[in-house]
Amino acid sequence: MGMNSALPSAMWLPFGARMLRARSDRGLSRAELAESVGVTDDKLREVEDAHCRPARSLVERVDTALGAEHRLVDAWAITLQAEAFPNEFGDMCELGTHATRLWEHQPMTVPAFLRTREYSRAILEPLYSHVGPEEIEALVDDEMADRAAMTGPDGPELRVVLNESVLQRPQGGPQVLNEQRAFLADLIKAGIVSLAIIPEETPSHPGLGGAFRMMEFGDRPSMVYAFAAQGGELTGDSEDVGHCRMVRDAIEEACVDLTPDSELLCGHPSAE
């Protein structure tokens, strides 16, 4: 049996990172924590690198040693449940930041992790029209935090394909769209994202099944997240992933890459 087949799924990567952060926040070395909870340094390294599924008893000892107030135990239980029923896993950003490569198709809007603050607000306000301004701003802040994680130096390689109409729809008004398109041009120029569009005149659009995200993890099986009006569905099933990979390849055949100087990004409509 190869090493890859022995590794737990990518679902454990966020848990391992959370445990590492908790240890670092307490100023403890891995060796110091390992000694205090009665395991070897190598065993603790396996947990933090998500090379094993830790026993609850170990997580409880680590939680106590770090004063985590049961947060690590709760995260362990959520991860164990999510591995069995992955569609229940809600934090796509946390999982996505551990991917080596993230590919996403969005037919209606710019992905949350590439939005300006104003564009984010223009998307969220009509979507959550039943909540007040403070709640909207909290949601915008969450998207900006996700953007920082996904587009930062530790984030995945990003490839995004949009419908052409996404960059023509003046959501929030022409000025908001202009600023969003200029921001995308800057991200492309900086090498942070590779961006493409499916032209409106495409006679056989391969992405009509809806928005989805493919996450590749290098030493773990890929995972797919299919977006829905509320939430979505996460799967690591090999047949589902294989089908989405074929759809992705068809979308790539139909799309056109954008550069920072592309008319869709620079030929801004009037903001009057």
Side-chain angles (χ1 to χ4, degrees):
M1 181 178 293
M3 178 181 177
N4 287 359
S5 61
L7 287 174
S9 76
M11 305 296 292
W12 287 94
L13 291 168
F15 175 80
R18 181 171 299 182
M19 193 160 162
L20 189 154
R21 286 194 302 270
R23 174 175 63 77
S24 298
D25 289 345
R26 294 285 291 185
L28 291 176
S29 70
R30 186 182 292 114
E32 289 172 331
L33 178 59
E35 182 178 3
S36 70
V37 298
V39 297
T40 65
D41 183 286
D42 286 344
K43 179 61 178 179
L44 207 56
R45 185 192 305 275
E46 285 186 347
V47 177
E48 292 183 349
D49 291 345
H51 283 177
C52 73
R53 297 174 185 84
R56 181 186 179 97
S57 58
L58 171 57
V59 177
E60 288 175 339
R61 296 199 303 275
V62 170
D63 194 291
T64 299
L66 296 179
E69 299 180 342
H70 220 260
R71 288 188 297 272
L72 288 177
V73 176
D74 290 345
W76 175 88
I78 289 170
T79 304
L80 201 66
Q81 175 80 359
E83 191 171 36
F85 305 100
N87 60 315
E88 300 296 325
F89 189 81
D91 196 340
M92 283 302 99
C93 177
E94 188 175 12
L95 184 60
T97 56
H98 291 281
T100 54
R101 186 172 190 269
L102 186 148
W103 184 100
E104 185 161 320
H105 169 55
Q106 283 289 347
M108 298 300 293
T109 69
V110 173
F113 58 85
L114 297 180
R115 295 173 183 171
T116 64
R117 175 172 286 274
E118 292 73 20
Y119 184 88
S120 171
R121 188 180 297 111
I123 294 294
L124 293 171
E125 282 180 340
L127 188 61
Y128 295 96
S129 57
H130 57 288
V131 305
E134 290 186 2
E135 290 87 346
I136 292 295
E137 288 307 305
L139 292 170
V140 172
D141 288 342
D142 287 343
E143 287 201 349
M144 294 302 98
D146 289 352
R147 187 185 83 185
M150 294 286 281
T151 61
D154 296 326
E157 176 188 341
L158 297 172
R159 169 70 169 175
V160 171
V161 181
L162 307 173
N163 280 5
E164 182 179 1
S165 59
V166 170
L167 297 177
Q168 296 172 328
R169 183 180 302 111
Q171 188 76 14
Q175 183 174 348
V176 171
L177 176 62
N178 290 351
E179 292 173 353
Q180 176 64 68
R181 301 201 304 183
F183 182 65
L184 291 173
D186 289 342
L187 292 177
I188 297 171
K189 187 174 182 179
I192 292 172
V193 65
S194 171
L195 186 65
I197 55 101
I198 300 180
E200 284 298 286
E201 65 270 18
T202 301
S204 299
H205 195 307
L208 298 181
F212 69 99
R213 172 184 296 181
M214 292 197 69
M215 294 171 283
E216 299 173 356
F217 297 93
D219 57 356
R220 328 266 171 146
S222 297
M223 303 193 79
V224 170
Y225 185 76
F227 293 87
Q230 292 293 328
E233 183 173 353
L234 178 69
T235 180
D237 180 82
S238 59
E239 289 190 11
D240 292 340
V241 172
H243 171 73
C244 289
R245 189 173 285 119
M246 289 190 291
V247 175
R248 179 199 63 186
D249 292 346
I251 288 173
E252 286 289 347
E253 286 289 327
C255 74
V256 177
D257 278 13
L258 298 181
T259 70
D261 301 322
S262 295
E263 184 176 355
L264 270 174
L265 299 179
C266 307
H268 298 160
S270 170
E272 296 178 359

